C-alpha cells in the first residue's frame, strides 16, 4: 500500500523510445501506487492503482489551463500526466520530515562537493519549505546558501516570519544568511520535451496529439497580467515566470509591460 516513486526517466533513452504507461507500471505492482517522473520535471506516469485511488476514469474531463492527460486509442487514461497534476497528494503523501532533511543533506553535499556555494529552489516553496531549510541549518545538513521562489502568499508569510518589513527589493534572508526568499514564481506553459510548451506554430512532430497542436498556456493572458500585478502590488518586484514556448514568452512580455504602466507603479 505504500507509494513507490521513481525519478528522471528519459523516454528518448528507453528501449521502446516512448513514455511508460499505466500498464507498464502495473507489471511492477497493482497493490502499491506508483509514480515515475520525467527528467524535465514537467510530467509523470502513474499505475492503475493510483488512477483508481484518484477516481480518474475514461469519463474524467481533460485538464483545462495547460497540460495533457494521456489516453489510449479508446479514450482510456493511460496514466500519463504532462504539466497537470490530477492525482491528489493523498495518493502519494509527502515523505517524512526526516526523509526530507536527509534529501536536503544529500543534495547540499553534492553541490558543495563541486564548489557551488548557492543553489535555488525554483518552484513550489512555502513557509514550510523555509522552516525545513532552517532545521537543516540547525542540524548542520545545509552546506550551501539556498534561495527559494514562492507563491505571493508564501512570500508574504516568509517576509512576516523573518521580520523584513521592506519587502520590495531586499531579499528575505534568515538570520544566519543561509536561506532567502528571493522572488515570486509563476508558470505560463510547460515543457517542449512533453509538447506542453505553448507555441505560435504547431509542433513539427505532434506525436499522438492533433496535427495543429500548439499546446495551451497555464493561464489566460488576462490571468497572467493579473498575477504579475498582484505580486507587484504585494511588494515583490522579482517575478520569475517559466516560459518555454514563443507564444508563452509573448504573454510574459505583455504582462511585464502592463505592470510598468503608470497605474501600477509604486
Amino acid at each position: 500500500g505504500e507509494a513507490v516513486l521513481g525519478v528522471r526517466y528519459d523516454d528518448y533513452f528507453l528501449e521502446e523510445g516512448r513514455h511508460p504507461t499505466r500498464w507498464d507500471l502495473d507489471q511492477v505492482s497493482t497493490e502499491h501506487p506508483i509514480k515515475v517522473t520525467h527528467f524535465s520535471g514537467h510530467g509523470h506516469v502513474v499505475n492503475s492503482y493510483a488512477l483508481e485511488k484518484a477516481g480518474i476514469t475514461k469519463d474524467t474531463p481533460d485538464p483545462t489551463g495547460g497540460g495533457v492527460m494521456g489516453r489510449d486509442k479508446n479514450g482510456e487514461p493511460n496514466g500519463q500526466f504532462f504539466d497537470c497534476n490530477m492525482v491528489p497528494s493523498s495518493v502519494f503523501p509527502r515523505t517524512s520530515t526526516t526523509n526530507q532533511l536527509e534529501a536536503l543533506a544529500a543534495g547540499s553535499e553534492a553541490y558543495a562537493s563541486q564548489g557551488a556555494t548557492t543553489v535555488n529552489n525554483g518552484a513550489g516553496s512555502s513557509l514550510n519549505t523555509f522552516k525545513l531549510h532552517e532545521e537543516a541549518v540547525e542540524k548542520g545538513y545545509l552546506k550551501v546558501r539556498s534561495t527559494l521562489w514562492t507563491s505571493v502568499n508564501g512570500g508574504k508569510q516568509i517576509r512576516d516570519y523573518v521580520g523584513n518589513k521592506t519587502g520590495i527589493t531586499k531579499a528575505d534572508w534568515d538570520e544566519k544568511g543561509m536561506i532567502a526568499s528571493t522572488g515570486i514564481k509563476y508558470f505560463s506553459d510547460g515543457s517542449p520535451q512533453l509538447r506542453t510548451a505553448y507555441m505560435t506554430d504547431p509542433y513539427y512532430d505532434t506525436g499522438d496529439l492533433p496535427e495543429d497542436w500548439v499546446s495551451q498556456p497555464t493561464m489566460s493572458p488576462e490571468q497572467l497580467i493579473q498575477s504579475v500585478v498582484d505580486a507587484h502590488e504585494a511588494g515583490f518586484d522579482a517575478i520569475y515566470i517559466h516560459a518555454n514556448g514563443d507564444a508563452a514568452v509573448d504573454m510574459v512580455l505583455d504582462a511585464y509591460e502592463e505592470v510598468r504602466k503608470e497605474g501600477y507603479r509604486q
Side-chain angles (χ1 to χ4, degrees):
E2 293 185 2
V4 179
L5 306 176
V7 296
R8 298 190 64 77
Y9 84 85
D10 187 342
D11 50 297
Y12 182 83
F13 291 107
L14 295 182
E15 183 176 335
E16 298 83 356
R18 61 168 175 80
H19 296 281
T21 67
R22 63 190 284 190
W23 300 288
D24 294 320
L25 300 184
D26 287 349
Q27 296 179 52
V28 179
S29 177
T30 56
E31 298 178 347
H32 299 268
I34 299 175
K35 177 168 68 173
V36 294
T37 303
H38 192 257
F39 79 93
S40 68
H42 281 262
H44 57 264
V45 185
V46 302
N47 65 344
S48 296
Y49 182 98
L51 290 177
E52 180 182 348
K53 289 294 184 182
I56 295 174
T57 68
K58 184 176 181 178
D59 297 325
T60 300
D62 289 327
T64 58
V68 174
M69 180 176 72
R71 298 179 185 270
D72 69 6
K73 61 182 179 181
N74 298 316
E76 289 286 346
N78 63 10
Q80 297 169 357
F81 296 92
F82 301 154
D83 277 291
C84 61
N85 190 10
M86 299 174 66
V87 179
S89 58
S90 58
V91 178
F92 296 99
R94 183 180 291 273
T95 186
S96 68
T97 299
T98 298
N99 285 348
Q100 292 180 63
L101 288 169
E102 290 176 351
L104 269 178
S108 174
E109 183 62 36
Y111 277 110
S113 69
Q114 299 301 312
T117 60
T118 304
V119 300
N120 181 60
N121 186 335
S125 296
S126 64
L127 178 57
N128 288 336
T129 311
F130 193 96
K131 290 181 177 179
L132 183 74
H133 281 69
E134 277 190 320
E135 187 171 349
V137 172
E138 292 171 1
K139 294 182 180 297
Y141 290 167
L142 198 63
K143 303 293 196 304
V144 290
R145 296 182 182 88
S146 299
T147 65
L148 313 177
W149 293 350
T150 72
S151 66
V152 173
N153 286 337
K156 287 180 179 178
Q157 291 172 357
I158 294 173
R159 186 171 63 195
D160 292 343
Y161 178 71
V162 301
N164 180 6
K165 303 305 180 184
T166 59
I168 296 176
T169 57
K170 179 182 175 184
D172 297 316
W173 285 96
D174 72 314
E175 61 180 14
K176 295 184 179 180
M178 288 295 292
I179 321 158
S181 172
T182 55
I184 305 303
K185 177 66 177 285
Y186 294 119
F187 287 83
S188 68
D189 72 343
S191 160
Q193 296 96 335
L194 300 176
R195 302 184 181 94
T196 51
Y198 182 40
M199 303 292 191
T200 301
D201 297 317
Y203 281 76
Y204 176 76
D205 178 3
T206 59
D208 297 329
L209 297 164
E211 291 184 359
D212 61 349
W213 179 252
V214 295
S215 189
Q216 54 185 329
T218 57
M219 294 182 276
S220 70
E222 295 76 20
Q223 289 172 326
L224 184 60
I225 289 172
Q226 189 59 55
S227 296
V228 173
V229 170
D230 289 345
H232 176 72
E233 292 186 339
F236 300 101
D237 280 343
I239 305 169
Y240 305 102
I241 304 179
H242 171 104
N244 265 322
D246 62 321
V249 171
D250 287 341
M251 286 177 51
V252 171
L253 293 174
D254 289 342
Y256 286 155
E257 182 178 358
E258 185 71 18
V259 83
R260 292 179 64 85
K261 290 182 178 178
E262 187 68 33
Y264 297 125
R265 289 180 182 167
Q266 291 185 344

